[in-house]
Amino acid sequence: MTKENKIDIIQKHTDIIISTITKHLPTTEEEWELVGFVNKKDDIYTFGNDSKILGRLFEVITFDALEKSANELGFQLGMSEKQTVYPDYYFFDSIGNKIGIDVKTTYRRSEKAKFGFTGGSFTSFMRNGTKNIVGHYDDYKAHYILGVVYVREEKPTHGRVKLDKRTGIIPAYKDVEVFVQEKFRICGDKKGSGNTDNIGTIKASNIQPFVYGAGPFSYLGEDVFNHYWTNHPRYTDSKEVRDSLFTDLSSYISWIRKTDSKQASILQDKYDQYLVDYRKQTELGNIDY
């Protein structure tokens, strides 16, 4: 079995937004390779491995692709004026429809280590519509994550370098991989961390599950994703409240069964199918969750 046909259980999701943005993204290592900040005296100040700086740099690189994609698709491109306001970028049309696009970055700790992203807060705009979001949550017809994965360079160039010596600079990162996928399709049923109210994505040791949109909500649907995370217990909730709700999809389905046994059975069947396909896919060896 070749590598190309190993991924045949969980089907790849794509659409016009994904294909258009992907088409315009840089395709070579050199195009992703930024080496530092330049002043008017032709000095390059190299940057270290600070993940916040690198994340912002990747946003800058992707801006051109998003602008070209918006024009091709008949949208305009907007961007959040505040770092804490969702989304990083958005497409919008003349009647107020929006498509949210968040740029997420992470790095590989080792070749086989699993990585993931955060899918944003589940206690702000998802619950009241207007908190920490451009416009209203209902204005958004879809939500996408443009994800960037990289490897930290162990011995990058540090300090100031003259512009004419730029080819000798060793960048702070390498081996960049990128994907575009609908947010709900790559999010999981666990929080991003225990002491925050951020949605966690699936975790994998390679980028393919993110490219394919191979998360459980691809089977359960976006409506279930929204219902799950708008009812998920918050970090600040009391133990009594947390105990009355759920912490994963199995306990969520049990929670649904208390009021709607038919819907719970439908969800259980879909989730069971996901778990079966998940196991088959990992056995093929190309996707390692």
Side-chain angles (χ1 to χ4, degrees):
M1 183 176 288
T2 65
K3 184 175 182 179
E4 286 72 18
N5 63 19
K6 281 185 177 180
I7 306 174
D8 58 0
I9 304 300
I10 297 178
Q11 297 299 310
K12 179 180 179 180
H13 171 75
T14 189
D15 57 32
I16 189 64
I17 302 294
I18 294 171
S19 60
T20 302
I21 295 175
T22 301
K23 176 178 66 177
H24 289 296
L25 286 169
T27 57
T28 66
E29 190 79 7
E30 290 77 15
E31 290 177 284
W32 285 103
E33 195 174 81
L34 300 182
V35 296
F37 303 103
V38 183
N39 64 19
K40 292 184 178 181
K41 294 182 178 181
D42 289 343
D43 297 315
I44 298 177
Y45 290 86
T46 60
F47 34 74
N49 285 324
D50 188 305
S51 58
K52 291 182 179 180
I53 293 176
L54 297 182
R56 181 58 185 139
L57 293 174
F58 290 131
E59 288 182 28
V60 171
I61 294 175
T62 58
F63 178 84
D64 180 65
L66 293 176
E67 189 171 47
K68 290 177 179 177
S69 299
N71 291 334
E72 182 174 329
L73 294 166
F75 293 107
Q76 296 185 62
L77 178 64
M79 58 192 306
S80 173
E81 296 180 355
K82 296 181 179 179
Q83 191 173 7
T84 57
V85 173
Y86 175 85
D88 294 324
Y89 298 101
Y90 56 94
F91 296 159
F92 66 98
D93 61 21
S94 59
I95 59 174
N97 294 316
K98 295 183 177 72
I99 295 172
I101 304 165
D102 250 5
V103 180
K104 301 289 186 180
T105 65
T106 192
Y107 62 91
R108 297 177 178 271
R109 287 178 169 80
S110 68
E111 184 178 349
K112 295 183 179 180
K114 294 183 179 182
F115 58 85
F117 303 82
T118 57
S121 171
F122 60 84
T123 62
S124 54
F125 52 82
M126 287 189 74
R127 302 204 181 200
N128 71 9
T130 59
K131 184 179 179 181
N132 295 336
I133 188 172
V134 177
H136 196 285
Y137 190 54
D138 290 343
D139 298 336
Y140 290 82
K141 306 309 175 186
H143 304 266
Y144 292 82
I145 287 179
L146 194 166
V148 182
V149 185
Y150 64 92
V151 174
R152 283 178 162 179
E153 174 58 55
E154 293 183 0
K155 296 181 179 180
T157 301
H158 292 285
R160 183 175 62 179
V161 179
K162 295 304 292 185
L163 186 62
D164 60 358
K165 303 293 185 181
R166 63 188 180 278
T167 57
I169 296 176
I170 300 175
Y173 58 88
K174 58 186 177 181
D175 300 334
V176 174
E177 295 182 284
V178 64
F179 69 89
V180 182
Q181 189 53 260
E182 283 191 281
K183 175 179 172 178
F184 81 93
R185 293 181 183 276
I186 64 169
C187 284
D189 61 350
K190 300 292 193 299
K191 298 199 298 181
S193 61
N195 60 351
T196 67
D197 286 328
N198 286 320
I199 301 169
T201 67
I202 56 175
K203 295 183 182 297
S205 60
N206 66 69
I207 203 171
Q208 291 299 338
F210 298 96
V211 174
Y212 273 65
F217 291 104
S218 282
Y219 283 60
L220 296 170
E222 188 170 15
D223 288 342
V224 175
F225 166 78
N226 285 323
H227 190 257
Y228 179 92
W229 283 109
T230 55
N231 287 280
H232 193 284
R234 294 169 291 191
Y235 175 58
T236 55
D237 283 338
S238 66
K239 184 179 185 301
E240 181 180 8
V241 170
R242 294 197 304 271
D243 289 346
S244 71
L245 295 171
F246 49 86
T247 56
D248 56 22
L249 277 168
S250 292
S251 56
Y252 169 75
I253 294 171
S254 296
W255 181 72
I256 292 293
R257 186 170 284 111
K258 295 176 182 178
T259 56
D260 192 336
S261 59
K262 182 178 180 181
Q263 175 66 7
S265 295
I266 293 172
L267 294 177
Q268 188 67 64
D269 288 344
K270 290 180 178 180
Y271 186 48
D272 287 345
Q273 187 61 57
Y274 168 75
L275 294 175
V276 169
D277 291 351
Y278 162 89
R279 285 191 291 269
K280 289 180 180 178
Q281 195 70 74
T282 53
E283 288 171 1
L284 292 174
N286 196 41
I287 288 182
D288 183 9
Y289 289 79

